Amino acid sequence: MPTGKLHIVPLGGLGEFGMNCMAVRGGDDILVIDGGLMFPEAELLGVDIVVPDISYLTENRDKVRGIVLTHGHEDHIGALPWILSELNVPVWGTEFTLAYVEDKLDEHELLDDADLHEIKPNERFKVGPFTVHPIQVTHSLVDCVALAIHTPLGVIIHTGDFKVDPTPTDNKLFDLHSFAEYGKEGVLLLMQDSTNVERRGYTPSERAVRQKFEEVFAATKRRLFVSCFSSSIHRIKLTVEMAWEHGRKVAFVGRSMNSSAEIAEDLGYIEIPEGLLIHPGEIKNFPEDKVCVLISGTQGEPMSALSRAAVDNHKHAKIEKGDTVMLSSRIIPGNEKAIYRVIDHLFRRQAHVIYDDGSVPPIHVSGHASQEELKLIINLVKPKYFVPVHGEYRQLKLHAELAKSMHGAVGNVMLIESGDVLEIDELGARKAGKVNVGRVCIDSGSRVDVVEDLIVKDRRHLSEDGIVLPIIAIHKLTGDVGPPPEIVTRGFNTGEDDGLMDGARQIVMQTLEQSSDEERADYGVIKEKIRADLKRYISKQTQKRPLIMPVILEI
Ligand SMILES: [Zn+2]
Ligand SMILES: [Zn+2]
């Protein structure tokens, strides 16, 4: 492409929730902003994560100068293992963001070959011909930045995810000054987070949840379980502080909660006083009113620590009558069923459950800017062109309308979606064609199990490895298991080994036996457990990965 033109090419996140990835191209140089994943919907059976199709990048691999990260949420960094295994380019991110990235790459054995560069707010760096200026912003996570990218045509600002929190718990303030400075000098393009465009007013500060936390800590007589996203460092910090003030020991339960807290402590975001932390195995050694458990699993993920504790199947986290469980998180649309299932189990255990029911003071606040904050940034930046990013189509559209209504602050508003190419030059801005985008489904987060898309994946599964249907009869009322499970297969070659299906039946029986009555009565949980156990068994025995779909028959 000729120099003097700029291409803005969203590869994900514009018109869908998650999978944020944006290519900025000037001449023969491409800079990528973020590489996020999307969590699959329940229908995507057997798929663990969804990442963006990056064929635009691989087709231009000699031009890609690197990936710059705005912050460490999964919808911004979760696709990196997959992207870097296709295209090993340098990655820039803040200290905290890189700590998450390192964890992730390590898990995929990609860390040794990765070329990671730490950046600091206000310290400019070069990516190919682009000078990038990271600007500190506030969000539900810590160490987040917006990016001002200097191009020959002018400055582009990408906000990343943000809200304007005047009182962040880490006291690292939103750098409104830099936005204003750029506004004075002139900004070519502003790309702004659309997630909360439907909300009026201002998003409350992270500190707003403190009042509710105080009420709950003061009122709780027995064990207190606090569940939040493992990346909610502000919330973990608050819980640790309150536990300390109320004389409760703290236990972290769940792998993600542990590793996230460890990173936050290492980097000085949370301080854990000597002697406060106990191992989950020690919970039982302390009086009920002296323990606070931080537990992962706010979205009802079937195998999470909270889901398991809710059905009394967690080794250390026992939730009993009169205990309090606080879910300090939002209910992500699509997860309602799973979350309310967990809450129901908790009610059945006669626990006192506190969740985001819209009451005030809030138990959870959003990390994304509401309308007044969005307008504030637009006013400060006064961009020539404006592009809404991070949102489903209606959010992008509403954000575009909001910006259009701000006469005098915005030049042209351009509404584009993933795959559109926005071309900017001296004459103007226009949509100039499309590139290939889409969802790539990945099994077990492993880079070798990449499959092209869901349909191809299903077909491949069926044609190469077939399908396995374990059929289990369960008494609806008692939760008792009926006759031994049947296993029906199609296109799955069991080979010479007659013992394979006997073994599979035994695995299913074993899984059923080791599950509690409540788990057996919860078909979502029991199906997932059977699927996971059978998948492990079959792939170990045969190196094959058939589609496994447990079927429960109520008798
Ligand atoms: Zn975020
Ligand atoms: Zn995000």
Side-chain angles (χ1 to χ4, degrees):
M1 65 186 273
T3 48
K5 278 192 199 302
L6 210 55
H7 280 181
I8 304 297
V9 190
L11 302 177
L14 273 70
E16 63 215 337
F17 174 70
M19 229 167 71
N20 298 302
C21 186
M22 170 76 79
V24 175
R25 178 171 178 181
D28 280 338
D29 300 286
I30 297 174
L31 175 156
V32 182
I33 301 169
D34 289 338
L37 61 68
M38 173 190 275
F39 288 104
E41 286 140 20
E43 310 80 273
L44 300 190
L45 192 87
V47 170
D48 295 299
I49 62 167
V50 181
V51 299
D53 178 338
I54 53 159
S55 45
Y56 174 72
L57 301 179
T58 49
E59 281 158 17
N60 291 292
R61 57 172 64 242
D62 56 317
K63 302 183 181 68
V64 181
R65 304 290 165 246
I67 304 171
V68 185
L69 305 171
T70 59
H71 67 292
H73 274 146
E74 289 287 356
D75 56 326
H76 298 261
I77 66 164
L80 282 181
W82 139 253
I83 296 175
L84 294 184
S85 64
E86 294 286 305
L87 193 72
N88 194 8
V89 294
V91 175
W92 286 264
T94 60
E95 186 186 37
F96 189 89
T97 305
L98 286 190
Y100 271 15
V101 168
E102 280 164 16
D103 220 31
K104 192 170 279 297
L105 294 180
D106 195 24
E107 213 177 286
H108 293 85
E109 289 164 17
L110 290 166
L111 186 56
D112 291 345
D113 298 325
D115 182 11
L116 307 179
H117 302 262
E118 189 181 317
I119 60 175
K120 287 197 167 64
N122 260 329
E123 284 182 12
R124 295 174 188 218
F125 59 97
K126 282 241 171 206
V127 177
F130 305 104
T131 298
V132 184
H133 172 194
I135 306 172
Q136 189 155 286
V137 297
T138 46
H139 182 41
S140 46
L141 190 54
V142 296
D143 218 4
C144 306
V145 290
L147 303 171
I149 302 165
H150 295 247
T151 77
L153 279 179
V155 173
I156 296 174
I157 295 183
H158 187 292
T159 62
D161 282 353
F162 77 99
K163 66 176 174 183
V164 182
D165 188 342
T167 56
T169 66
D170 57 1
N171 298 320
K172 295 193 173 172
L173 298 179
F174 194 110
D175 184 4
L176 288 168
H177 300 279
S178 288
F179 283 90
E181 287 289 320
Y182 278 112
K184 264 190 239 164
E185 288 161 21
V187 171
L188 179 68
L189 168 68
L190 172 64
M191 296 186 266
Q192 180 162 263
D193 176 17
S194 312
T195 310
N196 264 359
V197 69
E198 288 152 298
R199 296 203 195 178
R200 288 161 191 275
Y202 294 89
T203 301
S205 166
E206 277 299 317
R207 286 192 203 257
V209 297
R210 189 176 178 100
Q211 196 185 339
K212 184 76 182 184
F213 271 58
E214 251 159 17
E215 277 175 22
V216 173
F217 269 88
T220 299
K221 301 276 179 289
R222 285 182 48 96
R223 281 189 194 121
L224 176 58
F225 294 81
V226 179
S227 191
C228 62
F229 289 117
S230 57
S231 61
S232 296
I233 306 305
H234 300 291
R235 233 49 74 74
I236 295 174
K237 177 180 155 81
L238 179 62
T239 308
V240 166
E241 285 171 9
M242 307 279 313
W244 174 246
E245 284 167 26
H246 287 82
R248 286 177 182 265
K249 299 282 181 194
V250 173
F252 292 113
V253 172
R255 200 198 70 85
S256 60
M257 191 61 89
N258 266 297
S259 68
S260 188
E262 204 178 293
I263 290 171
E265 198 191 2
D266 279 352
L267 301 183
Y269 285 93
I270 51 177
E271 247 174 82
I272 303 180
E274 195 64 40
L276 183 71
L277 200 63
I278 57 170
H279 184 270
E282 297 175 275
I283 295 172
K284 58 180 185 305
N285 304 341
F286 289 87
E288 283 87 5
D289 61 340
K290 294 281 178 266
V291 180
C292 174
V293 182
L294 262 159
I295 187 164
S296 51
T298 60
Q299 297 304 307
E301 307 89 332
M303 303 310 271
S304 70
L306 183 62
S307 282
R308 281 183 289 142
V311 291
D312 197 22
N313 187 27
H314 196 282
K315 209 163 143 204
H316 303 306
K318 299 275 175 217
I319 299 174
E320 290 163 0
K321 184 178 172 182
D323 287 348
T324 298
V325 183
M326 173 157 69
L327 282 89
S328 178
S329 64
R330 108 187 154 101
I331 293 172
I332 293 181
N335 296 346
E336 294 93 343
K337 249 184 149 165
I339 296 170
Y340 286 118
R341 195 189 65 219
V342 170
I343 293 177
D344 265 8
H345 284 302
L346 293 170
F347 268 83
R348 224 171 254 136
R349 315 209 72 74
Q350 302 191 50
H352 183 44
V353 191
I354 302 161
Y355 53 99
D356 189 11
D357 55 2
S359 64
V360 181
I363 191 163
H364 169 69
V365 291
S366 169
H368 297 273
S370 300
Q371 288 173 4
E372 295 308 313
E373 294 151 271
L374 298 172
K375 289 187 209 162
L376 172 69
I377 299 301
I378 293 174
N379 262 318
L380 288 177
V381 173
K382 294 199 299 272
K384 189 167 176 196
Y385 300 107
F386 179 82
V387 170
V389 297
H390 305 168
E392 291 175 349
Y393 186 77
R394 74 173 185 291
Q395 295 165 323
L396 302 180
K397 175 84 178 153
L398 290 169
H399 200 181
E401 278 165 14
L402 177 140
K404 267 185 204 157
S405 72
M406 297 179 65
H407 308 290
V410 183
N412 275 315
V413 175
M414 307 295 295
L415 182 58
I416 56 171
E417 288 180 85
S418 300
D420 285 337
V421 176
L422 176 68
E423 184 174 83
I424 306 179
D425 57 22
E426 241 106 67
L427 300 172
R430 65 204 73 88
K431 275 188 214 178
K434 277 186 177 292
V435 302
N436 256 337
V437 290
R439 300 174 177 189
V440 179
C441 300
I442 297 184
D443 253 1
S444 317
S446 155
R447 66 195 160 109
V448 289
D449 289 331
V450 167
V451 279
E452 302 68 30
D453 69 27
L454 184 65
I455 297 161
V456 178
K457 176 192 158 67
D458 277 354
R459 283 188 190 149
R460 191 204 60 167
H461 261 320
L462 295 172
S463 67
E464 290 174 11
D465 291 347
I467 182 166
V468 174
L469 298 172
I471 301 171
I472 303 112
I474 293 182
H475 287 280
K476 192 176 162 54
L477 293 175
T478 58
D480 289 344
V481 179
E486 275 296 317
I487 298 187
V488 177
T489 66
R490 288 287 180 274
F492 173 63
N493 188 357
T494 54
E496 307 290 291
D497 185 3
D498 289 337
L500 184 69
M501 281 301 121
D502 287 338
R505 257 188 297 278
Q506 263 163 29
I507 294 288
V508 176
M509 286 306 284
Q510 205 178 310
T511 307
L512 287 163
E513 274 161 26
Q514 289 165 357
S515 302
S516 67
D517 288 349
E518 280 167 288
E519 284 180 299
R520 279 196 293 271
D522 189 326
Y523 300 155
V525 171
I526 197 68
K527 278 187 190 174
E528 181 56 29
K529 286 185 79 170
I530 290 171
R531 188 183 75 84
D533 289 351
L534 261 190
K535 182 173 161 183
R536 203 173 309 122
Y537 169 77
I538 291 176
S539 78
K540 199 170 157 212
Q541 300 292 321
T542 67
Q543 279 76 50
K544 288 202 167 113
R545 298 175 149 272
L547 194 67
I548 300 173
M549 294 179 68
V551 177
I552 307 276
L553 287 180
E554 278 182 353
I555 53 173

